[in-house]
Amino acid sequence: MLPCLNKTLLGIDCYGCGGQRAAILLFQGNFREALLMYPAIYTLVIFAIFLIINIKFKFKGDFKIKIAFIILNASIMIISYIFKMIQFYNLTN
């Protein structure tokens, strides 16, 4: 797997840390573990499927759907990152 440059240099996770491991867990059929590893994995997969389908078939209002997916995924990533940093802080103190 690719190493996280942020974690390598600074020692703390970034917003995407856990995404690769969650994707591997998802492909292995470990759905619960994938969700716990990286909560945005399912919405990212649905978004990717939508983007692939949208290349072939254009939908009315597809731009608004894309923006909604981006906001949803960013929100999940930020919230899970905050929880991860709170746990990290609690473990180190």
Side-chain angles (χ1 to χ4, degrees), residues 22 25 30-39 41-42 80 84:
L25 288 168
N30 299 322
F31 303 113
R32 184 174 184 276
E33 290 83 6
L35 179 66
L36 294 174
M37 178 66 64
Y38 193 70
I41 189 71
Y42 290 112
S80 65
K84 189 186 297 186

Side-chain angles (χ1 to χ4, degrees), residues 20-73:
Q20 289 180 40
R21 290 173 283 166
I24 291 170
L25 288 168
L26 190 65
F27 289 129
Q28 292 174 343
N30 299 322
F31 303 113
R32 184 174 184 276
E33 290 83 6
L35 179 66
L36 294 174
M37 178 66 64
Y38 193 70
I41 189 71
Y42 290 112
T43 54
L44 286 171
V45 168
I46 294 169
F47 186 37
I49 292 169
F50 174 78
L51 290 175
I52 292 168
I53 292 171
N54 191 235
I55 291 171
K56 181 73 174 171
F57 305 103
K58 298 298 177 190
F59 301 107
K60 183 178 181 178
D62 62 346
F63 181 75
K64 290 181 182 179
I65 295 171
K66 291 175 189 174
I67 295 298
F69 266 118
I70 291 169
I71 292 170
L72 174 66
N73 285 317

